[in-house]
Amino acid sequence: MNYAEIFARNLQALKDEGRYRIFADIRRDRGRFPAAQYFRGATSRPITVWCSNDYLGMGQHPAVLAAMHEAIDSVGAGSGGTRNISGTTHYHVELEAELADLHAKEAALLFTSAYVANDTTLTTLKKLLPDLVVFSDAKNHASMIAGIRNGRGEKVIWRNNDLADLEAKLRLVRRDRPKIIAFESVYSMDGLMAPIGGICELAAKYGALTYLDEVHAVGLYGPRGGGLAERNGVMHRVDIINGTLAKGFGTMGGYIAGTRDLCDAIRSYAQGFIFTTSLAPTIAAGATASIRHLKASGAERERHQERVRTLKRRLEAAGLPVMENPSHIVPILVGDPVLTRCITDALLDRFGIYVQPINYPTVPRNTERLRITPQPQHSDLDMDCLVSALGTLWANQPGRRKQYRCVAALRLPLLAKTDQPALARQCIGTARDTGRGGTPTASDQGEPN
């Protein structure tokens, strides 16, 4: 058997479909994000990042950096082991206490990522609760799907955010059978928000636990950054909350929060927790500082929401096909993987703007898109540059409202610098002079949790 040929054939299939992934080699500029450097071979150039999940820029916050420096100076680099064997440092204990307090739960449990937290917790719950049925929202993240699948047993998929469909399917399962309703608060590709209160009502009515993924909401919503459930006043009704430290809090890692016995059961039975080296103390220290800051400060959230509203308004005014939603996610529909990559390549090469294309399997085929994530640090000039660049790359298709074609995809020659709008030239010049602008050629990188 020619194994190399099999691997090559599968890779070529991805390339032929236009969704082969090319990682962007970047280095963020401390204190100046969204400015970064893009590396191609031995050279680099400045870029502006418009697709980071460090939604509030907390990965650059002085309090976070100071806490991480203090930790590495005090205890060194790694944790030294699993949580059970010398890897539970005081930094981990403090962080879990902060997370439990953030969500008003009895306890919290740290994992190396929110993906691992979802996968491990859902798998373990299916083993701890015999005959469990998991009701999974149709748009749940891959990590939740993996956990449900790995735990084996029965699952029921219900239409995204459709309470009537969920209830119809709950009715078909006897009340005394264990049930979990698993869903997300903010769906990261469409930007849709779940009716958390309504789902909790159905859970109470039919005797189900609720499992809520708040990955794209923690830090960003609620008076203290507890997420959408906190903002909506229903956090106390959710049984298990999954969250991340890698987005709103700007570091890395994941966690669950719930009752003390629930967290202790996962701690005691979950192989994905037991047999994994714990987070580095410096990361735990930075995450704790970030959570504490965002519990007390709403300035970052307010500025973030203002930037989101402003950008959506400006993109819509420019006639671009922004997918409407109530969250901080700004998706622009393209509908073709090759065109999507074409647009993002052109944004980088011509205008120094980095937006990652989003293709199948992260989103369904024919819904490929740009996924833009405004941050508090994006300036009005950054928005001017982005809107101008997108306006240059898109042209109205006569007779079809809200339908567009990518000029670059027609394989027209790249615009000469003298042919670019004056603002675009200014953006490119600004990027070169100050490190604000640019992006790498890319294809779908998906959406890690």
Side-chain angles (χ1 to χ4, degrees), residues 16-333:
D16 291 343
E17 196 175 335
R19 59 187 185 92
Y20 177 73
R21 299 175 181 182
I22 301 171
F23 291 160
D25 183 356
I26 69 172
R27 186 185 68 205
R28 306 206 299 179
D29 293 342
R30 174 184 168 180
R32 299 170 64 210
F33 196 70
Q37 293 291 318
Y38 166 55
F39 289 82
R40 181 179 284 169
T43 63
S44 68
R45 63 187 178 94
I47 65 169
T48 299
V49 179
W50 272 101
C51 56
S52 174
N53 281 339
D54 186 0
Y55 291 131
L56 300 178
M58 291 302 292
Q60 306 280 305
H61 196 280
V64 174
L65 301 183
M68 296 182 79
H69 279 294
E70 185 279 330
I72 202 166
D73 289 341
S74 297
V75 301
S79 67
T82 65
R83 289 294 297 273
N84 188 52
I85 306 175
S86 83
T88 296
T89 73
H90 189 59
Y91 295 98
H92 297 90
V93 175
E94 285 187 316
L95 177 53
E96 287 176 338
E98 286 292 337
L99 290 166
D101 174 76
L102 176 67
H103 294 292
K105 301 299 182 188
E106 293 177 353
L109 191 66
L110 282 172
F111 293 82
T112 50
S113 74
Y115 187 109
V116 173
N118 270 335
D119 185 2
T120 299
T121 301
L122 286 165
T123 297
T124 306
L125 286 170
K126 293 199 81 173
K127 294 176 180 177
L128 291 173
L129 298 170
D131 204 27
L132 173 68
V133 183
V134 177
F135 293 81
S136 177
D137 187 285
K139 291 193 174 182
N140 274 344
H141 188 268
S143 59
M144 301 175 78
I145 295 169
I148 295 166
R149 181 185 297 123
N150 292 338
R152 307 183 189 280
E154 186 176 351
K155 70 174 183 295
V156 176
I157 298 173
W158 52 288
R159 287 192 297 269
N160 177 237
N161 287 346
D162 189 329
L163 294 177
D165 187 55
L166 173 59
E167 182 165 24
K169 288 170 177 173
L170 284 165
R171 282 199 200 101
L172 300 177
V173 179
R174 68 179 191 275
R175 183 175 175 81
D176 64 348
R177 188 174 177 186
K179 309 173 199 67
I180 291 177
I181 303 172
F183 61 107
E184 300 181 39
S185 59
V186 177
Y187 292 88
S188 64
M189 292 297 115
D190 297 334
L192 301 175
M193 291 180 167
I196 302 173
I199 293 170
C200 290
E201 290 282 353
L202 291 177
K205 181 177 179 179
Y206 291 96
L209 291 174
T210 48
Y211 185 102
L212 175 61
D213 182 318
E214 286 262 38
V215 159
H216 292 274
V218 288
L220 281 70
Y221 298 95
R224 300 197 309 156
L228 199 62
E230 183 193 28
R231 191 200 71 173
N232 294 353
V234 294
M235 191 164 62
H236 64 289
R237 304 189 66 184
V238 178
D239 296 298
I240 307 165
I241 292 175
N242 167 279
T244 186
L245 308 172
K247 294 179 172 63
F249 298 125
T251 57
M252 70 170 292
Y255 63 90
I256 60 167
T259 65
R260 187 168 287 103
D261 283 347
L262 175 278
C263 290
D264 198 15
I266 301 301
R267 182 189 71 89
S268 301
Y269 283 93
Q271 294 190 353
F273 175 84
I274 295 170
F275 298 104
T276 302
T277 298
S278 62
L279 287 173
T282 184
I283 293 173
T288 299
S290 182
I291 294 165
R292 286 174 177 169
H293 175 82
L294 290 173
K295 282 180 179 177
S297 172
E300 292 81 4
R301 285 185 287 275
E302 291 171 8
R303 169 71 173 174
H304 179 239
Q305 290 298 317
E306 181 277 322
R307 294 283 81 188
V308 171
R309 290 192 301 270
T310 299
L311 181 63
K312 285 183 176 181
R313 182 173 64 249
R314 294 193 57 181
L315 291 171
E316 289 167 356
L320 291 158
V322 178
M323 299 170 66
E324 185 177 350
N325 67 70
S327 76
H328 58 283
I329 307 297
V330 185
I332 299 180
L333 183 64

